[in-house]
Amino acid sequence: MRELREKPVGTVRLTSDEHAIRTVLWPALRKVLPDYPDINLEITMDYALTDIVAERYDAGVRSGGLIAKDMIAVPIGPEMRGVTVASPRYLGGRKRPETPQDLTAHRCIKLHLPTYGGLPPWGYKKGAQELRVRVEGQLVFNSINPILEAALDGFGLAQLPDALVQPLLDRGDLVEVLADYSQRFPGYHLYYPSRRQPTAAFRVIVEALRYRGT
């Protein structure tokens, strides 16, 4: 009976943003799921700070700086950096921003986040100075992939995670601006209530995702 109770079986429900699903969750989980055919995984893509208890999720995935203190938080990815980028087409003939305040003279492609009242300001840091800038532009999306596509097509500046844009920077498809002001923030964490009694299936998912450094 004990062996039956400990067998990894059942459904694990997670909520996460799109970038974490593509760069952290799926690359790790696709390696272990074939070994556990009795584990069913349900992942909902959501940029809001979902109440995982009220919505009956087993866990959520968010940046470490956004997790409530009464939650257990397991690191599942490295530290990230917010990068401001644009295509050479957009920057051609325009003066590049030298400080975050210069963004007010540029078209910026914005991300809509329901938890933050709609359109959060872009964040920057240089030394001890932290800045928040309200940007304007023609386009607003609620997902970062179309923001990336619009930036590549020359519709303006975008602020995106470094892991997403680094290959495009290396190829010259995008150009970074305001690098001296780019802000680092905690990597992705899997979080769940401290009072939760983990199932065997849930423990498999946690250990598959746990970040152990490089």
Side-chain angles (χ1 to χ4, degrees), residues 140-156:
V140 178
F141 296 99
N142 67 349
S143 173
I144 62 174
N145 280 328
I147 291 177
L148 175 61
E149 293 298 322
L152 287 167
D153 288 336
F155 281 89

Side-chain angles (χ1 to χ4, degrees), residues 57-92:
Y57 286 103
D58 294 292
V61 174
R62 293 294 179 265
S63 170
L66 301 176
I67 297 172
K69 296 187 183 302
D70 62 342
M71 294 284 175
I72 294 176
V74 178
I76 61 173
E79 182 182 62
M80 297 185 287
R81 183 170 70 94
V83 181
T84 305
V85 297
S87 70
R89 182 194 312 179
Y90 175 80
L91 292 173

Side-chain angles (χ1 to χ4, degrees), residues 12 33 46 72 95 115 125 134 150 198-199:
V12 177
L33 287 176
D46 189 359
I72 294 176
K95 183 180 179 181
T115 306
K125 184 175 183 180
R134 292 283 178 184
T199 64

Side-chain angles (χ1 to χ4, degrees), residues 46-181:
D46 189 359
Y47 278 86
L49 294 180
T50 303
D51 185 336
I52 61 172
V53 176
E55 298 297 327
R56 302 178 67 83
Y57 286 103
D58 294 292
V61 174
R62 293 294 179 265
S63 170
L66 301 176
I67 297 172
K69 296 187 183 302
D70 62 342
M71 294 284 175
I72 294 176
V74 178
I76 61 173
E79 182 182 62
M80 297 185 287
R81 183 170 70 94
V83 181
T84 305
V85 297
S87 70
R89 182 194 312 179
Y90 175 80
L91 292 173
R94 289 184 172 90
K95 183 180 179 181
R96 297 188 184 189
E98 297 179 356
T99 70
Q101 291 86 346
D102 294 338
L103 293 172
T104 57
H106 283 269
R107 294 162 57 188
C108 299
I109 307 163
K110 296 174 286 185
L111 175 66
H112 182 273
L113 293 176
T115 306
Y116 294 93
L119 303 172
W122 288 9
Y124 295 92
K125 184 175 183 180
K126 188 173 185 180
Q129 183 185 24
E130 294 191 14
L131 300 168
R132 296 288 182 270
V133 180
R134 292 283 178 184
V135 298
E136 299 297 333
Q138 185 180 18
L139 296 173
V140 178
F141 296 99
N142 67 349
S143 173
I144 62 174
N145 280 328
I147 291 177
L148 175 61
E149 293 298 322
L152 287 167
D153 288 336
F155 281 89
L157 293 157
Q159 192 175 66
L160 296 164
D162 56 343
L164 180 66
V165 299
Q166 192 58 56
L168 299 164
L169 293 171
D170 293 341
R171 292 204 305 262
D173 295 333
L174 291 174
V175 177
E176 182 177 4
V177 299
L178 300 175
D180 291 344
Y181 291 87

